[in-house]
């Protein structure tokens, strides 16, 4: 409960502009609640036209229709000017066209795909106030009387709002243009007319969120363009839609989320205004909608996208939303042709390109995004039938807009989004772009705190994303307690994944569980999250993370970072990727007193991982995961949510140990190869530090772990590096390759390899006969090995 003191303190912290904006919105909402908001009747509507339109437009529905489609012919997306059926099949695929038609047929049967819920029975005469999963019907009260987070009054509003975004109108419209079948248009006409009747302005849950109103406006504009030639879209119905779109625009501009949710809410609303301003230019308000939408979008991108391209709320899903918003804006702005460029355009170009680069780099080998932070399961528009998490369509569109070869490579010929915005000409231009894989493999994004390891850009390659960033900007609303968590694909297959979100308000218990530390691929102490929640979209505490080391060389990557733990503790995670081979993860937790330390890895639902009979590893026929510590390894049935509202059964690996003051775990994630015996890992007791033997393929590798500056000795290696890795062939004990991180002294047998007074960050070496080619912090040398066996 907010006390008067807290309220006064908050008011004193608010700036004048925020106080004025919030106050104006409060007064507007109170006035609208008392007097009501009416849709302008026809006489009033024609007084809302600009001077030019009033001069040349007769006061008739037919004249509005003519003005609308004259404008959209040149100023809406290029696909609307094509003979859609042959153009779509040629530019995208016949299979994609057939998939659109099948989905439209299901809609005609009263079945919708809503977020992660497939084939939801909503009927064809839809109750727009009924949340279809719980069956809860929202009261017909003023929108300001709703509690946005109370699931008892409306069910899960995210589901209700997705239904009322009307994105299925796009699917019906696409099917109509592909087939000419009027039943798609007739259903659209009935449903949009019923929505207008059942949702008077300001009344009901569908007017609560300005962002949802913007999404709905965009869907309607697309639908009107798609059904342009249908007899079902009468001039009277189009005028009714335009009259209500005017009300939508007025609501959005009055209740912008400038201070309420200055994130994708604000940029999505701005895009909605820009759509309305460019597609209804005959309205007097349109020029202000265009100006304001463009102003917000150009201003916010520098705030919401960092210099390294990471979205400021630390959510990969909302990052993709943001990129899609701006790509639509860029294309519409070019079509409208009325842009006053200023210095913000330069920044916008830089940040949007950087945001696309980030998406390209975090994409898994199968093209999907790791579900870092919240995902709400939605899209700007259902332009593709690809998996919702598939980033490749967005990357292809980015390649088409900016002419980037690396994005074209990442887009992998998924052209649906490009076709709908740029037409077949845009697809042909994209095909002429000589796609080229990115110049770098592994990469850091220091502002966002993300680090990516990979060995290539093929669908069968490895990729690992490490989260060493903040919880997220503002209230951390869309962040998770995922400090130092990873998302790992091995040989192209999703292995360890983020669990997703599942729900915002429909299930408070699952909301907390899915964003907890225990749900992520990281370490917990006494089952507590690193950051503690204070509600579904806020936090009591926010743990900090600090990247300590990032090294990427031709044959390995190394990351090390620290994260805060409860009770004043520290979690240090380091990861060595022997490029193209396997991953080694070291977790060290330091917390005063005795505690239960748990290390969790959550498998993808497609991986049927099992613990072997001796309990030495967990895996399947494609990989093995070994964990070493003082505790016990167990496999636990669990659930993941690949899309909002959808649950899948999965397996969680849990390694738990009770320790005092300090706990250490070392994990090996190793692929199998049918041409060689399965990999094996064993620990060998030594006097100082830890030593592991890894039997992999035709090699026998050695890993030495210690503290920098403290020497560890084996029969052939002496090293004071914090980490030393050596590869030997099964027929020889002499190292063929060496990797070392953070130290100053190393020798093989009696031959010094590194002998420095100052610390050395990294060493990479390869032996050819009796010569070792050494790269120590970029300084290259050749060392002749002595005292070697003949």
């Amino acid at each position: 409960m907010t006390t008067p003191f807290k309220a006064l303190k908050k008011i004193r912290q608010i700036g004048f502009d925020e106080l004025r904006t919030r106050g104006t919105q409060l007064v507007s909402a109170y006035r609208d609640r008392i007097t009501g908001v009416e849709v302008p009747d026809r006489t009033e509507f024609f007084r809302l036209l600009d001077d030019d339109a009033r001069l040349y437009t007769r006061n008739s529905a037919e004249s509005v229709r003519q003005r609308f489609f004259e404008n959209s012919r040149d100023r809406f997306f290029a696909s609307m000017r094509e003979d859609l059926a042959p153009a779509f099949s040629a530019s995208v695929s016949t299979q994609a066209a057939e998939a659109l038609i099948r989905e439209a047929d299901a809609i005609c049967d009263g079945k919708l795909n809503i977020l992660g819920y497939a084939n939801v029975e909503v009927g064809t005469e839809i109750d727009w106030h009924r949340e279809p999963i719980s069956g809860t019907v929202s009261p017909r009260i003023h929108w300001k009387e709703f509690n946005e987070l109370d699931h008892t009054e409306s069910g899960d509003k995210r589901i209700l709002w997705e239904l009322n975004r009307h994105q299925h109108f796009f699917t019906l419209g696409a099917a109509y243009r592909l087939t000419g079948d009027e039943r798609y248009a007739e259903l659209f006409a009935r449903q949009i007319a019923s929505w207008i009747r059942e949702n008077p302005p300001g009344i009901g849950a569908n007017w609560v969120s300005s962002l949802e109103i913007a999404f709905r406006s965009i869907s309607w504009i697309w639908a009107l363009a798609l059904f342009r030639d249908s007899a079902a879209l009468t001039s009277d119905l189009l005028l009714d839609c335009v009259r209500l779109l005017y009300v939508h625009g007025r609501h959005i501009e009055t209740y912008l989320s400038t201070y309420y949710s200055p994130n994708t809410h604000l940029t999505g609303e701005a895009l909605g205004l820009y759509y309305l301003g460019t597609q209804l230019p005959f309205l007097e308000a349109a020029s202000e909608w265009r100006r304001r939408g463009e102003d917000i979008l150009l201003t916010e991108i520098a705030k919401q996208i960092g210099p390294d391209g990471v979205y400021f709320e630390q959510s990969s899903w909302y990052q993709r939303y943001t990129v899609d918003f701006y790509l639509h804006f860029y294309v519409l702005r070019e079509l409208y042709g009325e842009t006053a460029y200023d210095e913000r355009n330069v920044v916008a170009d830089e940040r949007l390109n950087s945001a696309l680069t980030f998406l390209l780099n975090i994409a898994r080998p199968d093209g999907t995004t790791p579900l870092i932070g919240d995902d709400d399961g939605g899209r700007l528009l259902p332009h593709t039938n690809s998996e919702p998490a598939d980033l490749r369509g967005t990357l292809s569109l980015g390649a088409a807009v900016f002419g980037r070869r690396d994005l074209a490579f990442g887009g992998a010929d998924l052209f649906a989004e490009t076709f709908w915005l740029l037409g077949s000409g845009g697809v042909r231009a994209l095909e002429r772009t000589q796609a080229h894989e990115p110049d770098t493999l592994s990469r850091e994004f220091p502002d966002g705190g993300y680090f990516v390891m990979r060995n290539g850009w093929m669908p069968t390659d490895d990729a690992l994303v490490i989260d060493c960033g903040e919880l997220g900007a503002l209230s951390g609303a869309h962040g998770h307690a995922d400090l130092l968590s990873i998302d790992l694909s091995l040989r192209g297959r999703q292995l360890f994944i983020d669990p997703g979100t599942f729900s915002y308000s429909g299930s408070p218990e699952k909301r907390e569980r899915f964003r907890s530390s225990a749900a992520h691929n990281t370490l917990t102490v006494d089952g507590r999250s690193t950051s503690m929640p204070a509600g579904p979209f806020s936090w009591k505490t926010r743990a900090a993370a600090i990247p300590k080391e990032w090294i990427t060389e031709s044959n390995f990557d190394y990351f090390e970072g620290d994260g805060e733990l409860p009770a004043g503790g520290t979690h240090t995670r380091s990861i060595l990727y022997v490029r193209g081979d396997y991953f080694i993860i070291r977790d060290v937790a330091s917390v005063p007193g005795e505690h239960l330390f748990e290390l969790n890895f959550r498998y993808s639902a497609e991986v049927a991982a099992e613990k072997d009979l001796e309990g030495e590893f967990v895996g399947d026929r494609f990989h093995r995961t070994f964990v070493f510590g003082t505790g016990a390894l167990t496999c636990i049935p669990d659930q993941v949510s690949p899309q909002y509202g959808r649950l899948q059964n999965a397996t969680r690996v849990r390694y738990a140990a009770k320790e005092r003051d300090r706990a250490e775990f070392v994990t090996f994630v190793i692929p199998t190869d049918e041409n060689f015996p399965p990999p094996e890992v064993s620990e060998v007791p030594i006097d100082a530090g830890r030593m592991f033997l890894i039997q992999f393929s035709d090699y026998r590798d050695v890993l030495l772990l210690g503290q920098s500056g403290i020497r560890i000795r084996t029969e052939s290696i002496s090293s004071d590096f914090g980490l030393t890795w050596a590869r030997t062939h099964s027929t020889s004990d002499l190292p063929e390759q060496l990797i070392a991180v953070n130290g100053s002294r190393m020798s093989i047998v009696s031959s010094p390899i590194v002998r420095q007074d100052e610390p050395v960050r990294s060493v990479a070496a390869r032996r050819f006969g009796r010569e070792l080619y050494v790269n120590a912090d970029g300084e290259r040398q050749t060392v002749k090995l002595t005292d070697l066996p003949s």
Side-chain angles (χ1 to χ4, degrees):
M1 179 178 178
T2 302
T3 64
F5 175 76
K6 287 182 179 179
L8 180 61
K9 183 179 179 181
K10 186 173 182 179
I11 290 173
R12 292 177 64 180
Q13 294 173 341
I14 292 176
F16 173 74
D17 188 69
E18 180 175 357
L19 192 62
R20 180 184 61 187
T21 300
R22 288 182 180 272
T24 300
Q25 291 178 342
L26 189 64
V27 170
S28 295
Y30 179 77
R31 180 197 63 224
D32 293 348
R33 186 175 172 184
I34 297 300
T35 63
V37 177
E38 298 292 335
V39 179
D41 63 26
R42 294 194 175 198
T43 301
E44 293 169 333
F45 174 79
F46 286 105
R47 288 199 290 265
L48 298 173
L49 302 181
D50 66 11
D51 291 340
D52 181 63
R54 278 200 296 268
L55 182 62
Y56 293 103
T57 302
R58 302 183 309 276
N59 291 354
S60 68
E62 184 58 39
S63 65
V64 173
R65 181 190 189 94
Q66 183 178 352
R67 298 286 293 192
F68 180 84
F69 287 122
E70 279 180 355
N71 176 76
S72 68
R73 185 177 300 115
D74 297 322
R75 290 175 166 176
F76 201 56
F77 298 102
S79 60
M80 296 298 99
R81 295 185 285 279
E82 303 202 38
D83 185 352
L84 201 71
F88 185 82
S89 294
S91 298
V92 184
S93 71
T94 302
Q95 292 79 6
E98 292 170 348
L100 272 170
I101 294 167
R102 283 195 302 272
E103 186 168 354
D105 288 341
I107 295 169
C108 290
D109 291 335
K111 298 175 182 178
L112 294 183
N113 295 324
I114 302 177
L115 305 174
Y117 300 95
N119 293 318
V120 179
E121 294 274 2
V122 296
T124 55
E125 305 301 323
I126 298 175
D127 182 346
W128 302 108
H129 298 272
R130 180 180 180 273
E131 189 263 89
I133 304 304
S134 68
T136 305
V137 178
S138 299
R140 308 293 179 93
I141 57 178
H142 188 266
W143 66 269
K144 199 64 176 173
E145 297 179 53
F146 284 92
N147 179 346
E148 196 168 329
L149 300 179
D150 184 0
H151 67 281
T152 63
E153 65 182 14
S154 304
D156 188 336
K157 287 187 178 66
R158 179 67 194 88
I159 297 169
L160 177 66
W161 288 343
E162 183 70 17
L163 172 65
N164 284 274
R165 285 183 179 183
H166 293 169
Q167 293 186 346
H168 69 286
F169 288 172
F170 171 85
T171 305
L172 289 171
Y176 168 74
R177 291 289 293 273
L178 289 168
T179 65
D181 191 334
E182 284 289 337
R183 66 193 177 100
Y184 303 126
E186 290 163 359
L187 180 60
F188 157 74
R190 290 203 312 273
Q191 290 190 349
I192 200 167
S194 78
W195 196 94
I196 293 171
R197 287 194 307 272
E198 297 300 321
N199 290 270
I203 302 301
N206 296 320
W207 293 95
V208 170
S209 167
S210 293
L211 175 62
E212 298 304 320
I213 295 169
F215 271 113
R216 185 163 55 248
S217 300
I218 292 169
S219 293
W220 283 22
I221 289 169
W222 272 90
L224 294 177
L226 286 163
F227 289 113
R228 177 188 63 205
D229 298 326
S230 171
L233 181 58
T234 64
S235 297
D236 286 334
L237 178 58
L238 186 141
L239 177 57
D240 288 344
C241 292
V242 171
R243 288 162 56 215
L244 201 62
L245 283 171
Y246 169 79
V247 177
H248 278 53
R250 282 301 192 198
H251 189 105
I252 295 167
E253 70 171 338
T254 303
Y255 302 108
L256 283 164
S257 299
T258 310
Y259 296 105
Y260 168 67
S261 291
N263 46 25
T264 50
H265 277 252
L266 183 57
T267 53
E269 292 156 12
L271 180 65
L273 284 179
Y274 198 77
Y275 256 90
L276 290 165
T278 57
Q279 301 312 304
L280 306 177
F282 43 81
L283 293 177
E284 190 172 25
S287 60
E288 175 60 16
W289 292 344
R290 289 194 303 275
R291 185 204 67 78
R292 198 160 188 191
E294 181 175 25
D295 181 66
I296 291 170
L297 287 163
L298 290 178
T299 299
E300 286 298 314
I301 194 168
K303 299 177 182 178
Q304 298 192 26
I305 299 293
D308 63 353
V310 177
Y311 175 66
F312 74 151
E313 288 194 292
Q314 309 290 119
S315 160
S316 56
W317 199 274
Y318 285 90
Q319 167 119 13
R320 198 265 194 84
Y321 258 133
T322 299
V323 169
D324 285 343
F325 290 170
Y326 279 90
L327 290 174
H328 277 239
F329 166 60
Y330 268 49
V331 177
L332 268 181
R333 185 176 61 171
E334 185 70 21
L335 288 166
Y336 199 78
E338 190 185 87
T339 302
Y341 282 91
D342 57 36
E343 65 276 4
R344 293 178 302 170
N345 286 279
V346 177
V347 175
D349 287 351
E350 292 173 351
R351 295 297 170 90
L352 183 52
N353 270 287
S354 295
L356 281 159
T357 297
F358 178 69
L359 289 180
L360 171 67
N361 278 269
I362 66 167
R364 299 172 176 137
D366 63 6
T368 60
T369 177
L371 298 180
I372 301 167
D374 273 346
D375 81 272
D376 79 346
R379 292 291 309 275
L380 174 53
L381 280 167
H383 279 159
T384 175
N385 60 353
S386 298
E387 183 180 343
D390 195 331
L391 294 173
R392 291 174 294 180
T394 294
L395 296 176
S396 285
L397 179 57
V401 170
F402 290 108
R404 285 180 51 179
R405 299 169 64 196
D406 58 341
L407 295 178
F409 185 90
D413 295 340
L414 268 68
F415 295 148
E417 285 98 328
T418 302
F419 173 80
W420 287 113
L421 268 64
L422 300 174
S424 56
V427 172
R428 287 194 298 271
L430 183 55
E431 289 175 327
R432 289 194 297 269
T433 301
Q434 295 182 340
H436 190 280
E437 67 180 46
D439 294 332
T440 59
L441 292 175
S442 301
R443 186 160 178 168
E444 66 174 325
F445 296 87
D447 301 310
Y450 294 104
F451 300 82
V452 183
M453 299 176 174
R454 64 172 69 243
N455 67 319
W457 294 93
M458 295 293 104
T460 55
D461 284 330
D462 305 332
L464 181 142
V465 179
I466 307 153
D467 184 349
C468 190
E470 294 189 12
L471 192 63
L474 307 175
S475 65
H478 292 306
H480 287 188
D482 53 5
L483 212 60
L484 298 177
S485 184
I486 63 170
D487 186 281
L488 171 61
S489 293
L490 193 66
R491 299 296 190 264
R493 190 173 65 136
Q494 295 180 30
L495 200 69
F496 299 150
I497 65 168
D498 188 291
T501 297
F502 181 68
S503 177
Y504 284 163
S505 60
S507 172
E509 180 271 328
K510 283 189 171 64
R511 172 63 173 157
E512 294 308 315
R513 178 156 62 88
F514 273 85
R515 65 179 186 152
S516 69
S517 296
H520 293 81
N521 301 314
T522 188
L523 180 143
T524 63
V525 178
D526 299 326
R528 298 170 61 189
S529 283
T530 51
S531 297
M532 300 302 296
F537 293 103
S538 59
W539 300 88
K540 293 177 186 175
T541 63
R542 299 165 64 110
I546 302 174
K548 295 173 62 179
E549 195 70 84
W550 171 249
I551 303 166
T552 181
E553 297 287 350
S554 61
N555 63 330
F556 79 94
D557 295 322
Y558 180 82
F559 162 84
E560 185 174 329
D562 283 350
E564 291 181 330
L565 290 172
T570 301
H571 174 202
T572 299
R573 168 163 277 184
S574 58
I575 301 175
L576 173 69
Y577 175 38
V578 182
R579 197 180 311 284
D581 288 347
Y582 55 83
F583 295 86
I584 302 170
I585 305 166
R586 184 187 190 188
D587 293 285
V588 178
S590 301
V591 189
E594 185 177 71
H595 300 277
L596 176 64
F597 297 90
E598 295 176 277
L599 184 63
N600 292 291
F601 295 108
R602 182 169 270 94
Y603 276 104
S604 163
E606 284 70 39
V607 178
E610 295 181 344
K611 187 171 71 171
D612 79 312
L613 295 177
E614 288 76 30
E616 295 179 350
F617 64 86
V618 172
D620 60 9
R621 66 190 185 93
F622 299 107
H623 88 290
R624 288 184 172 184
T625 299
F626 301 82
V627 184
F628 292 85
T630 60
L633 181 69
T634 56
C635 281
I636 303 170
D638 211 330
Q639 291 180 315
V640 295
S641 178
Q643 188 183 9
Y644 190 103
R646 182 154 60 104
L647 292 175
Q648 290 180 329
N649 293 325
T651 299
R652 174 163 60 102
V653 174
R654 174 179 177 267
Y655 193 96
K658 274 196 172 182
E659 294 282 2
R660 177 171 291 278
D661 299 334
R662 184 182 185 275
E664 180 177 4
F665 308 100
V666 183
T667 304
F668 299 80
V669 186
I670 308 177
T672 59
D673 187 332
E674 62 182 11
N675 297 314
F676 294 95
E680 298 288 347
V681 183
S682 60
E683 184 167 10
V684 179
I686 55 176
D687 293 336
R690 302 182 73 175
M691 175 178 175
F692 298 89
L693 298 179
I694 306 104
Q695 188 68 45
F696 171 72
S697 186
D698 200 26
Y699 301 108
R700 185 175 58 189
D701 299 341
V702 177
L703 175 69
L704 304 177
L705 298 175
Q707 294 181 342
S708 180
I710 299 177
R711 190 173 289 269
I712 299 175
R713 291 180 172 84
T714 70
E715 290 184 1
S716 57
I717 301 173
S718 175
S719 172
D720 73 352
F721 281 75
L723 178 150
T724 306
W725 175 90
R727 166 155 289 174
T728 67
H729 198 272
S730 58
T731 60
S732 171
D733 289 333
L734 288 175
E736 296 182 357
Q737 296 182 54
L738 287 170
I739 297 170
V741 177
N742 291 327
S744 58
R745 298 283 194 276
M746 182 194 297
S747 61
I748 294 179
V749 190
S750 60
S751 300
I753 307 303
V754 179
R755 184 183 292 172
Q756 300 287 340
D757 294 330
E758 298 296 324
V760 176
R761 287 181 66 214
S762 71
V763 175
R766 185 180 293 271
R767 180 174 66 86
F768 294 94
R770 291 176 175 266
E771 292 186 334
L772 197 69
Y773 295 85
V774 181
N775 179 355
D777 283 352
E779 294 186 8
R780 301 177 185 277
Q781 60 176 325
T782 302
V783 177
K784 291 188 177 297
L785 302 177
T786 60
D787 299 328
L788 296 186
S790 300

